[in-house]
């Protein structure tokens, strides 16, 4: 078993990574449950994994109660948040209890936010079942719901008590979801680890095809990178954690334009967004066009969108920039952008003129 630690003082927590760990969840949850019933929140697509976790809890002598939600981004809403809080309160969840989030990014974000506000804060454990959640959203304590104004605009920083990652569950993931999660893996190489980007170029196809050892390595490497960044800048105050948003400013605008729907799921938006960030950097003379094309080529090799056309977005630059103006990182009328001097050389730029972004987007193929 590989264990990565997120060092946050008194709130330090472990991330355990092991094939088959889902069937041992009860062993890890027993010390946290302290004999009390555990609430497990999941979605309708994950009944097989729910059965595995509940069986492990029974073996550990722990009673559990399942709360099963509708899959998809639509569940990251005020209505579902209210329903979930009411259900958890009805189960008598106390501040010292640990709610289990069993699912992808939607479940993790929603459950984490509910736990951040329930009785002014109770505990939770992340058991991520998608690659995207395993390498990104389950680690670091960002929790949120979506609103009409945009994605993740209502939320809180609320760290889990533990993360359990089982790479074997990825065998049940639809290939589209697996590819979307892979975009977040590659992102770590694009940020500040050129050697890892090269590793992805060499091994990405086999990873997506099912190689368990490669998946375990990619997850552990990605989680270690995120743990290091989160420990250095938990609340995104000094610019270090902002690097994790590479591709997200462009990507969230594309997701907003497609209605946060299945037309373009989050990891696909991140891939297209990373391509656009490198393309914009090249257009501004900050990085080479060769680097921008190398990034785009890797997305194409992984069958991920490399820009507006592949993402199916035909909106004008003005419309996409308008979506960006609702970004939660907007401050005093200025939106910071993650740009790149090269692959593995990402930096935060607070001087980008949105008129330049609009002109760049208008020049992109549709």
């Amino acid at each position: 078993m590989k264990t990565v630690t997120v060092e946050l003082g008194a709130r330090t927590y472990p991330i355990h990574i092991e094939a088959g760990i889902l069937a041992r969840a009860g062993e890890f949850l027993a010390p946290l449950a302290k004999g009390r019933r555990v609430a497990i929140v999941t979605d309708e697509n994950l009944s097989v994994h729910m059965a595995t976790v509940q069986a492990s809890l029974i073996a550990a002598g722990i009673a559990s109660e399942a709360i099963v939600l509708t899959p998809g981004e639509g569940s990251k809403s005020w209505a579902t948040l209210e329903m979930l809080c009411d259900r958890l309160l009805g189960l008598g969840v106390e501040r010292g209890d640990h709610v289990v989030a069993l699912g992808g990014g939607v479940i993790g974000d929603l459950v984490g936010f509910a736990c951040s506000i329930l009785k002014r804060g109770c505990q939770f454990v992340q058991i991520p079942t998608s690659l995207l959640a395993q390498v990104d959203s389950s680690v670091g304590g960002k929790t949120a719901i979506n609103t009409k104004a945009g994605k993740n605009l209502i939320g809180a920083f609320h760290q889990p008590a533990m993360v359990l990652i089982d790479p074997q569950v990825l065998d049940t993931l639809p290939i589209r979801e697996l590819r979307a999660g892979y975009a977040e893996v590659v992102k770590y190489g694009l940020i500040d680890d050129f050697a890892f980007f090269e590793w992805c170029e060499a091994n990405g196809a086999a990873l997506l095809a099912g190689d368990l050892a490669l998946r375990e390595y990619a997850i552990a490497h990605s989680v270690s990178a995120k743990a290091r960044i989160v420990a250095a800048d938990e609340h995104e105050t000094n610019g270090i954690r902002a690097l994790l948003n590479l591709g997200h400013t462009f990507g969230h605008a594309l997701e907003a334009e497609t209605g946060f729907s299945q037309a373009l799921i989050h990891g696909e938006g991140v891939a297209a967004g990373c391509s656009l960030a490198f393309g914009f950097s090249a257009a501004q003379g900050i990085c080479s066009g060769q680097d921008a094309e190398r990034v785009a080529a890797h997305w194409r090799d992984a069958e991920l969108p490399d820009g507006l056309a592949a993402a199916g977005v035909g909106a004008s630059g003005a419309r996409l920039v308008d979506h960006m103006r609702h970004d939660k990182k907007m401050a005093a009328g200025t939106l910071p952008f993650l740009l790149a001097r090269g692959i593995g050389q990402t930096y935060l730029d607070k001087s980008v003129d949105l008129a330049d972004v609009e002109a760049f987007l208008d020049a992109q193929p549709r």
Side-chain angles (χ1 to χ4, degrees), residues 85-336:
C85 287
D86 284 342
R87 288 285 304 277
L88 292 172
L89 290 170
L91 291 173
V93 171
E94 299 178 355
R95 293 181 71 178
D97 289 340
H98 291 74
V99 179
V100 174
L102 174 66
V106 168
I107 291 294
D109 283 3
L110 176 66
V111 174
F113 185 39
C115 289
S116 77
I117 58 177
L118 196 76
K119 297 187 175 179
R120 297 194 177 97
C122 68
Q123 307 300 308
F124 79 115
V125 172
Q126 290 267 22
I127 305 183
T129 59
S130 70
L131 180 57
L132 190 149
Q134 290 180 350
V135 302
D136 184 59
S137 61
S138 68
V139 178
K142 280 189 175 181
T143 71
I145 59 170
N146 302 331
T147 69
K148 292 179 181 178
K151 188 180 178 73
N152 295 334
L153 294 182
I154 305 295
F157 288 95
H158 189 57
Q159 300 291 345
M162 179 188 296
V163 183
L164 301 179
I165 297 178
D166 188 342
Q168 282 186 341
V169 305
L170 301 179
D171 291 340
T172 65
L173 206 64
I175 186 60
R176 184 185 183 192
E177 295 285 347
L178 191 65
R179 291 187 183 117
Y182 178 67
E184 293 281 6
V185 172
V186 176
K187 181 191 73 176
Y188 291 105
L190 297 177
I191 291 172
D192 63 359
D193 193 344
F194 177 67
F196 185 58
F197 177 76
E198 289 185 309
W199 183 92
C200 290
E201 286 183 312
N203 297 286
L207 183 158
L208 291 169
D211 189 302
L212 181 59
L214 294 178
R215 289 178 178 180
E216 288 181 338
Y217 175 81
I219 292 167
H221 188 95
S222 300
V223 164
S224 296
K226 183 158 190 182
R228 169 177 50 82
I229 291 172
V230 169
D233 184 15
E234 181 182 4
H235 296 116
E236 205 168 301
T237 54
N238 61 24
I240 296 173
R241 185 164 182 169
L243 296 176
L244 295 169
N245 295 322
L246 176 63
H248 286 59
T249 300
F250 285 104
H252 282 170
L254 305 187
E255 288 182 79
E257 181 60 26
T258 53
F260 299 109
S261 69
Q262 288 297 301
L264 186 74
I265 58 178
H266 178 63
E268 294 168 343
V270 169
C274 285
S275 251
L276 292 169
F278 271 81
F280 180 73
S281 298
Q284 297 296 302
I286 299 167
C287 83
S288 71
Q290 290 91 336
D291 276 352
E293 172 52 29
R294 185 172 176 179
V295 173
H298 188 56
W299 296 138
R300 292 193 295 271
D301 289 344
E303 298 184 49
L304 284 161
D306 65 341
L308 297 184
V313 175
S316 67
R319 183 170 172 83
L320 294 174
V321 166
D322 189 55
H323 288 308
M324 293 178 185
R325 288 193 173 94
H326 294 290
D327 194 294
K328 57 186 174 294
K329 297 180 291 299
M330 197 83 172
T334 300
L335 181 60

Side-chain angles (χ1 to χ4, degrees), residues 37-42 50 54 57 62-68 87-88 91 99-100:
R37 179 175 55 178
V38 170
I40 308 172
V41 185
T42 189
M50 171 62 88
Q54 286 190 306
L57 290 172
I62 304 170
S64 64
E65 183 78 23
I67 300 174
V68 183
R87 288 285 304 277
L88 292 172
L91 291 173
V99 179
V100 174

